[in-house]
Amino acid sequence: MTELHTTPRTRRPRPAIVTLTDAAAERVRALTEAGGHKALRVGLKNAGCAGQEYTFAFADQIGPLDEVVTDKGATIVVDPKSILFLIGSEIDYETTKLASKFVFRNPNQTDACGCGESVTIIPAKAFEID
């Protein structure tokens, strides 16, 4: 019998689940540093009239299945249940006369409620593997 030999293959880098604009990165850094937190956790929960809402919380613990994204010096932790829904998203931070808030530009979002508090998101489609 012949032996099967494999050669180690260098893996290509994975793209980040989410990216941050300069304004969002600055705000995430300010919030986490002021509170002494490791990162800002983002995710989704079932809620609202459109079905889902984006969530934010400070992350002092990073779980083994959490996706950690560092962009422009800011660290975001993505909840493992939310990864497929957030792939390709850009997080921005906007300030207007009436509000300051994080804004998601999510290619997987298909709808939003009238008040803008909840969204409908479909999971990202599987990518073909080379």
Side-chain angles (χ1 to χ4, degrees):
M1 293 186 111
T2 61
E3 289 185 39
L4 179 63
H5 294 282
T6 59
T7 57
R9 184 174 94 175
T10 304
R11 292 189 170 268
R12 63 184 169 94
R14 292 186 315 176
I17 300 298
V18 297
T19 58
L20 302 171
T21 64
D22 290 339
E26 183 179 325
R27 185 64 179 152
V28 169
R29 284 192 310 268
L31 288 170
T32 54
E33 289 171 6
H37 303 286
K38 290 184 178 181
L40 185 67
R41 180 178 300 279
V42 297
L44 291 164
K45 70 177 181 176
N46 292 334
C49 54
Q52 296 171 308
E53 290 180 358
Y54 294 107
T55 62
F56 294 93
F58 290 113
D60 294 320
Q61 303 270 331
I62 297 175
L65 299 178
D66 287 336
E67 185 76 24
V68 178
V69 176
T70 302
D71 190 13
K72 299 175 182 72
T75 304
I76 296 284
V77 177
V78 180
D79 172 36
K81 294 180 280 186
S82 302
I83 291 172
L84 285 178
F85 296 95
L86 296 178
I87 290 175
S89 295
E90 178 185 62
I91 302 173
D92 194 6
Y93 187 76
E94 296 179 349
T95 301
T96 66
K97 290 182 180 182
L98 298 176
S100 296
K101 60 184 177 179
F102 286 104
V103 176
F104 280 80
R105 293 186 188 95
N106 187 339
N108 307 305
Q109 183 176 317
T110 59
D111 198 11
C113 69
C115 67
E117 291 296 320
S118 64
V119 294
T120 303
I121 303 173
I122 57 171
K125 294 181 181 172
F127 296 99
E128 289 184 19
I129 299 175
D130 296 344

